[in-house]
Amino acid sequence: MNRSITGRSGPVSVRRATARDAKRLTRLVRGSSAYEGRYAAMVAGYRVGPDYIETHRVFAAVATTEGREGHEGDRGREGQVLGFYSLVLAPPELDLMFVADHAQGRGVGRLLVAHMESEARAAGLDRVRVVSHPPAEGFYRSVGAVHVGTASATPPAVVWDRPELEFRIPTCK
């Protein structure tokens, strides 16, 4: 399974997120242009805390920026965090997935999905549910998710219906 890509900004790999990544992941969520306008309230106070990272399977896509400063001021071997996802095992769900605006269209999202499918397979899962942000549905479908329904709005937190999709995880790929 390909766990890295080489993009315009250099090599990108996926690693397990750590509690030290919490602030960077929170900035990535809050700074997402997909959550502007009517969606802004949903992420305004959102926080990806160290406890969440330690409790769930959270993985980060990282650009290698050895010795130079990255887009968000990340420095050193760790590189710049370009995106992340969180896989919850019970019940199986892709809880969070974000790619930095400046990294979209470079294969980072596809890399994260492939990694998630590999992790799900290793955990013995045969499917992973996604309740998608409406503008992200096209992306999820393009990487193999199948529309299975609609999750109703849950005011006051979410005031719009959302597409419910599913990744079907083959036993071997």
Side-chain angles (χ1 to χ4, degrees), residues 27-63:
R27 279 195 307 268
L28 206 151
V29 169
R30 291 183 184 174
S32 174
S33 65
Y35 284 88
E36 292 177 341
R38 72 182 188 130
Y39 300 117
M42 187 171 180
V43 297
Y46 198 87
R47 180 177 167 269
V48 180
D51 53 334
Y52 181 89
I53 293 169
E54 291 171 359
T55 303
H56 300 292
R57 292 179 183 217
V58 181
F59 292 88
V62 181

Side-chain angles (χ1 to χ4, degrees), residues 121-142:
R121 188 176 306 105
L125 303 177
D126 64 351
R127 55 193 66 227
V128 175
R129 174 180 183 246
V130 181
V131 177
S132 176
H133 179 51
E137 180 179 12
F139 166 75
Y140 286 122
R141 285 182 178 227
S142 77

Side-chain angles (χ1 to χ4, degrees), residues 24-147:
R24 288 190 277 185
L25 302 186
T26 296
R27 279 195 307 268
L28 206 151
V29 169
R30 291 183 184 174
S32 174
S33 65
Y35 284 88
E36 292 177 341
R38 72 182 188 130
Y39 300 117
M42 187 171 180
V43 297
Y46 198 87
R47 180 177 167 269
V48 180
D51 53 334
Y52 181 89
I53 293 169
E54 291 171 359
T55 303
H56 300 292
R57 292 179 183 217
V58 181
F59 292 88
V62 181
T64 303
T65 57
E66 183 91 38
R68 65 182 176 89
E69 193 165 325
H71 183 269
E72 296 178 28
D74 300 330
R75 196 180 265 289
R77 264 185 282 176
E78 286 183 13
Q80 177 187 8
V81 175
L82 300 176
F84 77 99
Y85 77 88
S86 172
L87 177 63
V88 175
L89 297 182
E93 183 171 4
L94 178 61
D95 187 39
L96 298 169
M97 183 170 167
F98 284 84
V99 174
D101 289 348
H102 71 276
Q104 291 181 10
R106 299 182 184 179
V108 174
R110 289 182 182 281
L111 176 65
L112 287 170
V113 168
H115 189 275
M116 180 277 299
E117 289 176 326
S118 177
E119 286 293 315
R121 188 176 306 105
L125 303 177
D126 64 351
R127 55 193 66 227
V128 175
R129 174 180 183 246
V130 181
V131 177
S132 176
H133 179 51
E137 180 179 12
F139 166 75
Y140 286 122
R141 285 182 178 227
S142 77
V143 292
V146 177
H147 189 269

